[in-house]
Amino acid sequence: MRIIDIINKKANKEQLTKEEIDFFIENYVNGNIPDYQASALLMAIRLNSLNEDETSYLTNAMINSGDTIDWSYLNTTIADKHSTGGVGDKVSIVLCPILSALGLTVAKMSGRGLGHTGGTLDKLESISGYNISLSDKEFKNVVENHKMAIVGQNEKLVPADKKIYALRDVTGTVESIPLIASSIMSKKLATGSNCILLDVKCGNGAFMKNLEQAKKLGNLMIQIGKKLNRKIAVEITNMEKPLGRAIGNKIEILEAVETLKGNGPKDFTEIIYSSGATLLLLANKANSEEEAKKQIDEIIKNGKALEKFNEWIKSQNGLVEEIYKEDWFNPKYKHEIISNNEGYLKINSAIEFGLVAMKLGAGRSKKEDSIDFEAGIYLNKTSNDYVNKNDVLFTLYSSKPIDKNLSNDLLNKIEFSNKPFEIKEVLTKLM
Ligand code: URA
């Protein structure tokens, strides 16, 4: 078999066989296929796509490129949840302890943020001591004893994705639905979970800019899951505006804690109830969405969800007590953006808020950048809130002096109207 023949086949819009896809992955990972040939094949795939079978073969080949985790000895449902990445997305930090408190086991590997999207790992690392790099044995111990853990991607899992993603990033081949689907699904399936919710973010702040693309990605991932014997559900959720009111790291942990106490922002709380109900139904822990939402409501109101959060953070060596101290979130610089207008606010860009948060220090523009855990944005007003003249719209925080021009970047992306408008948080669910 020769890689040049495989490239030509895909360039001519022909279907690749399982053997050809296995050959590509095996030989690219072991260094026999150089980056320039892999790039040519990835571009042919971006332009001519892969069908469902080819995408499943690719996912399987990527899973087989490294180790996999087997939880079957626990004889239980292992739940997982993955988001395609957004702004203000702290869903895992709230949803996982809720599910765990309701009897599901959650073993989750998460990623860091890059560019305008924040990463769950960075947010968790803003808590002193929190260890994202548990050994395989420690990961298993925490999951067995506490019924949940969130760690970083294990280097030995899906090495093919690591190598291919780095190449896609610099060759214009990220934006391919089958390549995104196989990248996400290979990592989820290698982690050994058997009940997975995929939160496909949709809007200007996300990879999928419109509902049609998001549905295509969601359906493709469901089909791959079916072929590989896992239960998958997809929720397509709004990323036209940031999720919740907090964007950053410590500031998002505080919002997560408030949500676990039942005081979360309306949009974020709606996503938590919706995603939680979908996973409880998928795992056969509830008979209807209504019943599932009631279970979530109870576990928040009786304090067990927050108790589980505290237990989980401690189990991964995080100093959870510190986050309840008044001065834990203590940014040196603060700048309030004041409104010159009045009316119902509409935020037109999640991405701009993510970029401003990144410029304040909350995120990275390059992988090597370090993070300022104090940096971020608080939306004193969000979409559909009524704003009076001179009200504080947004507050910017940082450990370094704040460039006042950042205010204009945000003010250019909002508008006011004299009537509230409809916002849908969950655009659609696919199962
Ligand atoms: N997230 C991933 O893990 N992979 C992609 O290709 C895109 C988003």
Side-chain angles (χ1 to χ4, degrees):
M1 209 174 280
R2 296 188 319 156
I3 184 67
I4 181 68
D5 299 326
I6 300 176
I7 298 169
N8 279 327
K9 219 173 149 183
K10 193 36 77 183
N12 291 327
K13 302 192 168 83
E14 289 172 52
Q15 187 178 333
L16 303 181
T17 63
K18 179 176 181 310
E19 290 69 31
E20 286 163 338
I21 290 174
D22 284 345
F23 174 86
F24 163 58
I25 293 297
E26 207 180 304
N27 286 285
Y28 181 53
V29 172
N30 69 20
N32 287 340
I33 293 175
D35 282 349
Y36 53 82
Q37 286 184 309
S39 311
L41 180 57
L42 292 168
M43 184 53 84
I45 291 174
R46 178 184 167 174
L47 297 175
N48 294 333
S49 200
L50 296 177
N51 67 17
E52 235 173 76
D53 284 337
E54 290 172 295
T55 312
S56 300
Y57 301 147
L58 178 61
T59 308
N60 224 352
M62 285 167 65
I63 294 172
N64 293 336
S65 71
D67 291 354
T68 53
I69 302 182
D70 183 3
W71 297 105
S72 57
Y73 71 100
L74 290 179
N75 228 342
T76 188
T77 301
I78 305 288
D80 195 357
K81 170 264 150 199
H82 179 83
S83 155
T84 54
V87 179
D89 184 353
K90 62 221 69 112
V91 172
S92 299
I93 299 170
V94 176
L95 186 62
C96 297
I98 289 176
L99 294 171
S100 174
L102 285 170
L104 286 178
T105 300
V106 185
K108 181 163 171 49
M109 289 193 180
S110 259
R112 293 194 181 281
L114 188 62
H116 72 280
T117 61
T120 299
L121 292 184
D122 298 318
K123 293 167 200 175
L124 290 171
E125 278 191 328
S126 73
I127 305 170
S128 311
Y130 187 91
N131 185 1
I132 61 154
S133 319
L134 300 181
S135 67
D136 294 356
K137 196 162 165 241
E138 287 167 334
F139 184 42
K140 287 197 163 171
N141 275 342
V142 174
V143 171
E144 281 170 30
N145 295 323
H146 301 281
K147 304 272 179 282
M148 77 157 288
I150 300 185
V151 296
Q153 193 69 39
N154 180 324
E155 296 285 314
K156 290 179 276 176
L157 258 60
V158 205
D161 181 64
K162 198 157 191 260
K163 203 166 169 191
I164 290 174
Y165 197 87
L167 192 63
R168 285 170 60 206
D169 213 15
V170 291
T171 55
T173 50
V174 169
E175 285 184 38
S176 149
I177 287 180
L179 292 179
I180 295 176
S182 53
S183 163
I184 293 175
M185 292 303 284
S186 59
K187 287 176 288 196
K188 289 292 109 184
L189 301 184
T191 319
S193 35
N194 40 31
C195 193
I196 304 166
L197 171 68
L198 300 164
D199 179 358
V200 176
K201 298 283 179 211
C202 177
N204 64 65
F207 275 119
M208 298 295 117
K209 308 288 181 219
N210 61 54
L211 191 57
E212 193 196 335
Q213 276 184 324
K215 277 187 183 165
K216 221 165 152 184
L217 175 64
N219 280 320
L220 185 56
M221 293 195 288
I222 290 178
Q223 292 315 319
I224 298 171
K226 279 194 181 146
K227 281 185 203 289
L228 301 176
N229 269 334
R230 313 292 174 94
K231 287 190 192 172
I232 315 277
V234 170
E235 286 192 354
I236 300 177
T237 60
N238 183 337
M239 198 29 76
E240 294 288 348
K241 59 160 189 53
L243 184 57
R245 289 178 185 268
I247 308 165
N249 294 285
K250 283 186 174 182
I251 195 170
E252 285 197 46
I253 293 285
L254 291 177
E255 189 165 75
V257 167
E258 281 309 304
T259 308
L260 284 162
K261 289 179 180 168
N263 307 324
K266 189 167 155 280
D267 60 341
F268 180 52
T269 303
E270 186 181 332
I271 295 282
I272 293 295
Y273 276 65
S274 174
S275 300
T278 301
L279 262 169
L280 289 169
L281 282 170
L282 199 63
N284 296 325
K285 295 274 182 192
N287 295 315
S288 68
E289 189 166 327
E290 200 189 350
E291 187 198 317
K293 286 186 174 170
K294 224 164 131 197
Q295 288 186 30
I296 297 169
D297 212 40
E298 263 171 41
I299 211 81
I300 290 177
K301 288 197 175 128
N302 68 19
K304 293 213 166 108
L306 185 64
E307 242 173 63
K308 177 52 82 172
F309 168 87
N310 291 334
E311 176 194 330
W312 151 51
I313 299 294
K314 269 191 212 158
S315 76
Q316 291 192 231
N317 299 334
L319 301 180
V320 75
E321 318 74 49
E322 73 174 18
I323 69 180
Y324 296 101
K325 292 190 180 147
E326 283 277 296
D327 61 351
W328 180 61
F329 174 58
N330 193 14
K332 190 162 173 203
Y333 295 94
K334 165 176 158 177
H335 173 64
E336 291 181 332
I337 304 179
I338 307 293
S339 179
N340 286 326
N341 288 294
E342 57 187 31
Y344 290 95
L345 178 67
K346 182 163 189 233
I347 296 179
N348 289 324
S349 172
I351 194 166
E352 198 59 49
F353 282 75
L355 287 171
V356 168
M358 183 191 85
K359 288 176 193 163
L360 289 164
R364 301 181 183 81
S365 58
K366 302 188 296 302
K367 280 199 184 93
E368 308 70 44
D369 292 349
S370 62
I371 295 246
D372 172 6
F373 291 133
E374 308 289 338
I377 306 176
Y378 188 77
L379 310 183
N380 303 77
K381 301 286 181 185
T382 187
S383 282
N384 258 350
D385 284 349
Y386 191 82
V387 179
N388 288 303
K389 252 190 185 172
N390 298 324
D391 278 354
V392 178
L393 283 169
F394 316 120
T395 310
L396 312 185
Y397 296 104
S398 184
S399 298
K400 53 182 201 296
I402 295 173
D403 173 3
K404 304 289 184 296
N405 291 322
L406 292 175
S407 306
N408 291 332
D409 294 355
L410 300 185
L411 291 171
N412 287 336
K413 299 291 177 185
I414 60 172
E415 57 185 276
F416 295 87
S417 69
N418 52 14
K419 276 198 257 144
F421 51 95
E422 200 201 348
I423 311 181
K424 253 184 123 179
E425 296 304 331
V426 180
L427 305 178
T428 188
K429 292 191 187 201
L430 312 167
M431 268 173 126

